[in-house]
Amino acid sequence: MIPVRHCLKLVPLCSQIRHGSRMFPQLKRGSFNRITDEDVNRFTGIVGETGIKTEELDHYNTDWLNTVSGFTELVISPKSVEEVAAVLRHCNERRLAVVPQGGNTGLVGGSNPVFDEIVLSLERLNNISHIDPYAGIVECEAGVILQNLSDKVGEHGYTVPLDLGARGSCFIGGNLATHAGGLRVVRYGQLRGSVLGMRVVLPDGQILDGRSNMRKDNTGYDIKQLFIGSEGTLGVITDVSLLLPQSPVSVNMALLGCDSFDDVIKCYRLSRQCLGEIVSACEFMDSLCMTSVNDILGLASPLENSHKFYYLVETSGMNMDHDMEKLETCIEKVFESGCATDGVMAASKDQARHMMSLRENIAPALKAVGFNYKYDVSLPIQHMYSLVEQIRNKIRLTEGAFSVGYGHLGDNNLHLNVITPHYSAQALSLIEPFVYEEVSRLKGSISAEHGMGLKKANYLRYSKDPSMIAMMRSLKDVFDPNGIMNPYKLLPWND
Ligand code: FAD
Ligand code: 2HG
Ligand code: ZN
């Protein structure tokens, strides 16, 4: 095992980035047309000079992880649904490939061009149109930053039923397109359950107006659900109505240290039993995750000693005394059962925020150390950590490599990350396809919440039956017969 502190050096960006097409040398550019000056003039006529960018496009071309990069020469930022429709209609007529882009925080190489696809950025479509304080519903455009949405609905006593570490950059439209998970699924369920209505633009410029604020609507096919998790391959999401939970009044947090993953599971089980409806996050991380955030980001652990595993449980409720009492009783039971050997409860909002920041900053800490290979999988809870151990064993002879496991325990969602000082095809071949074969064997999912993007597209068969992949292709042909929407993503391109 290489202790994280030995890997603490920032690798120059240029040695990290793999052009999408170089990472997959067998991937060939589709038979799309190339952009001409006439096209740019046409787009400028639709969105105006301020909606067109042709220079300083690195941010749009490269992913958050600095692992994939394309070379678009054109970014278009429409300001209305009609502009999105006119832009897409022209792209479709001219067979110009398009990548919709939100906050560009995706972790699977889905939001960037692979070759020279046009980036259609939602950044200027960022209006929060209406908040209904009685029904608890927000209507907004796809380009609203999650944090801004959360702050705005917070002013009315509501919260967004989705929260994730990228909240300051990701857009609600990107969250819908990836069907993001995050920290609150255990409490509010998957995002798709909170979506009341959506407006989407198809590649031929048709506007599918499925806006609605009704909780109940049994009038036939629920078309919006097809676009949730479609990763920009079917159309562009422009507007959404979301049902909002009431903001909690009391938020409490406890961090426990455990000797084994079995003990973490026992703590989890006990916490669900004792805390019931007030549980709002159940997260875990291993010791290397904790060392990473401590050493790399300087965030201190509130526990005196280090432990093999950590379990973080958060409660959100409406009565501080009641919630506190429940959490205290829960922690007592945990210690009586012996499944945790150490623990702290947050005594203030700041302490609670600090505890959660330890968990949320694992991804940024690991990014700073080297090249990240990310596996975001669903597994039966008892098998979640054995996969990390198997991978650790496989990469043990690779210089400077280490692996960590953390994730959303309450959703059976493991984040297995492998880090090497630089990109290594040899390390990759030790991990893939083994990791997908194992997940498939255990009947898990090879993408729990991040989506398929470019990086996972060719592995879809490990989680989907051929009959389902064929149906997905048929649907793609219905909505996007020219295949201009986010090519090379989500659906396998190697068959
Ligand atoms: P982008 O990255 O810009 O795009 C993602 C995909 O959606 C692309 O395929 C893109 O083409 C498509 N897309 C974007 N907008 C639209 C649109 N309006 N219409 C159609 N298609 C569109 N994810 C989780 O699920 N849970 C987490 O806990 C989590 N934590 C994270 C923490 C960090 C620090 C980081 C960097 C990322 C994290 N992510 C997490 C991943 C990422 O933030 C989510 O996938 C997020 O939903 C992406 O939103 P975005 O606006 O950045 O979309
Ligand atoms: C999280 O839960 C995110 O922190 C990122 O989903 C996970 O980077 C990862 O592997
Ligand atoms: Zn996650």
Side-chain angles (χ1 to χ4, degrees), residues 49 90 146 216 246 281 347 369 465:
E49 298 274 347
H90 182 73
L146 182 60
K216 287 188 148 183
Q246 199 68 44
V369 179
D465 186 77

Side-chain angles (χ1 to χ4, degrees), residues 139-158:
E139 294 167 35
C140 70
E141 292 179 332
V144 177
I145 293 173
L146 182 60
Q147 179 74 66
N148 296 348
L149 188 61
S150 179
D151 291 346
K152 198 73 201 166
V153 304
E155 290 169 13
H156 298 263
Y158 290 101

